[in-house]
Structure formats: C-alpha cells, structure tokens
Amino acid sequence: MVTLTDIERESYKNSPIHRLDPRVKLLFALAVILYVVSLPRIHDDNLVRLLAVEAYLIVLVLIAGLDLRYFILRILATLPFGLGIALFQPFLKPSFVENFTPFPLDLPFGLSMTYEGIAFGSSLLIKFLVCITAVVLLSSTTRLRDMVAAADRVGFPREFTLLLSMMVRYLFLFWSVLKRIKIAQQTRLFNIWNRDVPRKWVIKQVGYSISSIFIRSYEQGEKTYISMLCRGYGSGYDKVYYRGKIKAQDIFFLFFSAGCIVYIHYFV
C-alpha cells in the first residue's frame, strides 16, 4: 500500500531530477499535460507520439531512481478512473465524427462497435496514462511544500495555492490521526479482515473509526491553526523558506525537454 509517508520519502531522494528547481518541474509537467490534451482526438500518429512521450517520462523516472514498484502502484491506483471512461467509447458514436466504420463483431443486446470509437477510446486512455505519469513523476520528485511554493512563485492565483497548502497540511493531519487509531485498534486485537467476527459489528467499528477521525482532526486542526498563527503564518509565509534560484541545469532540462517534445511531434 502506498501511503503519504511513502510519497514524501521518495521526494527526499537525491538525484538530478530531484535537484531540479520545483518551478521547472511544475512547468514541465504542465507542458506535457497541455501538449497531450491538445493532440487531435483521432489521428493515426497519436498513439506513436503519446508512447514516445511516455517513454521519455519513464527515462526520467529511471534517472530519478524512484522505486518502480511504488511508481507503478500509484499509476495503477489512478488508472481505473480513465479506464472506466475509455472502455465505453468503442460503443458510442462521437459527435465530432461524421462517417462511422462498423467493427465486424457480433455483440449481444444490440451493441455495436466502430473503428472510430476504438481509436478515440485508445487515444483517450493513453493520454490519461501519460498525464498521470507526469503528475506522479512531479509529486515523487518534489516535496509537497516546495510544490505549493513553486505554484505561488510561478503565478498561480493566491487563493488556489492557499487552498492547496491547507489541503497538504490536513492530509497529513488526517493520516496521522488514522495511524493512531489503527495502532489503538491493533493493541485491542481488532482485525477488520477477521472472518470469525460478525460483519455487522466490524462495520459498526469502522463507522466509529471514521467519525473519530473527523472529530479528532477537527480538534487538532484548531490547535494547528493557532500554532501556525503563533509562528508567523500569513501572507507570503512560504517565500520565507523557499528562496531557490533557477540554475543553468534547470534551464538546460527545460529546453532539452521542450526540444524532445517538439522532435516527437514533428519527426516521430
């Protein structure tokens, strides 16, 4: 199971990708997503271009020295959301296609497939995979607080970065409370997967645990907010601890990656 602690542990590794400025990595991830989304919905070269971008991202993952098992698990955990949408496309008739070519396959319940639907569904799935890979690479090589500060310095709206900062803080708060509850349950020999215990009682205990998480997090949230105010939390607080400057290797990475994407688009 991949946890929040694992995500932060991976981001503390030391590699050429980890040492890049967070703003550069954020811009790179956004550029990849924008390029992938801007590709035509149905085109013969889409699949090759998308796979080439995915291969480039995998090379960056290897250079970063990330745990491949952890990396694949994170992608697989998110992939079903895109897979669920893409699987329906072969049976639908996209409005942007004028002429359909039926796929020669007899299906029950009057269902039919088209070549255009299959092409659109496969393109959609690969696009989703490339975007998720870029996001996982960014979050695995950048500490969360640096990512929020980088978004603020790049020019994201202040309200957005403030909400993102709060979300990061309270995600870890929730996770900390959940860990304490799990340890307390283990000391009482509570096991949710124990088949000898009535399921109704287990479900009731899980409900108690969820309500306990919210109540404890609410109380801890107030304490945390007061502590933040006491430590000088306010407008511009993130710029105090994040004063990194863009270096030559950051610019080289940005231009090299942009060149690779341009090359893939025009020559692959």
Side-chain angles (χ1 to χ4, degrees):
M1 179 181 178
V2 179
T3 66
L4 282 173
T5 313
D6 295 327
I7 296 173
E8 275 295 86
R9 189 183 299 121
E10 287 291 311
S11 67
Y12 274 82
K13 285 184 174 178
N14 187 15
S15 75
I17 305 299
H18 285 78
R19 288 194 292 272
L20 290 172
D21 191 281
R23 287 169 291 178
V24 171
K25 286 184 279 189
L26 180 63
L27 289 175
F28 168 70
L30 289 176
V32 169
I33 293 172
L34 286 175
Y35 169 70
V36 167
V37 172
S38 66
L39 285 175
R41 287 174 284 195
I42 296 179
H43 195 278
D44 294 338
D45 297 332
N46 264 5
L47 192 60
V48 179
R49 288 172 180 164
L50 290 170
L51 289 178
V53 176
E54 178 72 9
Y56 180 65
L57 293 175
I58 296 298
V59 170
L60 295 181
V61 170
L62 296 176
I63 294 174
L66 298 178
D67 183 352
L68 290 181
R69 176 181 168 275
Y70 145 84
F71 190 82
I72 293 171
L73 277 177
R74 285 192 64 189
I75 290 178
L76 290 180
T78 318
L79 202 57
F81 294 101
L83 189 63
I85 299 173
L87 283 179
F88 286 104
Q89 301 307 320
F91 305 100
L92 304 177
K93 292 184 177 179
S95 58
F96 56 86
V97 179
E98 295 181 355
N99 301 317
F100 294 95
T101 308
F103 189 79
L105 182 64
D106 294 329
L107 295 173
F109 308 113
L111 294 175
S112 62
M113 298 170 64
T114 61
Y115 282 104
E116 289 76 14
I118 294 173
F120 179 58
S122 57
S123 173
L124 195 65
L125 181 61
I126 302 297
K127 283 184 177 184
F128 186 77
L129 174 65
V130 176
C131 292
I132 291 300
T133 305
V135 172
V136 173
L137 174 64
L138 170 68
S139 61
S140 302
T141 56
T142 312
R143 287 175 288 187
L144 288 174
R145 68 170 191 177
D146 291 343
M147 204 185 310
V148 175
D152 186 63
R153 296 193 72 183
V154 164
F156 278 65
R158 178 65 187 163
E159 291 75 14
F160 175 80
T161 56
L162 183 63
L163 288 174
L164 192 60
S165 173
M166 291 290 108
M167 186 192 72
V168 170
R169 286 173 182 272
Y170 284 98
L171 269 179
F172 281 93
L173 178 62
F174 267 100
W175 180 248
S176 173
V177 173
L178 178 61
K179 279 180 69 177
R180 288 205 296 271
I181 291 176
K182 286 181 67 177
I183 292 172
Q185 289 176 337
Q186 287 171 356
T187 58
R188 299 185 182 97
L189 303 180
F190 175 76
N191 183 2
I192 191 173
W193 307 114
N194 188 353
R195 295 179 179 275
D196 297 329
V197 179
R199 304 315 297 172
K200 184 178 178 181
W201 183 82
V202 171
I203 293 173
K204 189 181 288 184
Q205 299 308 311
V206 172
Y208 289 152
S209 301
I210 294 173
S211 59
S212 177
I213 288 174
F214 280 101
I215 292 173
R216 291 189 188 189
S217 299
Y218 175 75
E219 295 174 348
Q220 184 62 41
E222 284 194 335
K223 295 177 184 176
T224 303
Y225 180 66
I226 293 172
S227 301
M228 288 161 60
L229 292 179
C230 294
R231 292 167 188 161
Y233 172 80
S235 177
Y237 70 98
D238 44 1
K239 295 183 179 67
V240 174
Y241 64 80
Y242 183 78
R243 293 184 180 278
K245 294 182 179 179
I246 292 181
K247 302 173 184 173
Q249 55 266 35
D250 300 320
I251 297 174
F252 171 77
F253 172 78
L254 205 54
F255 278 98
F256 180 77
S257 299
C260 287
I261 292 177
V262 171
Y263 180 83
I264 288 170
H265 184 77
Y266 287 104
F267 299 103
V268 174

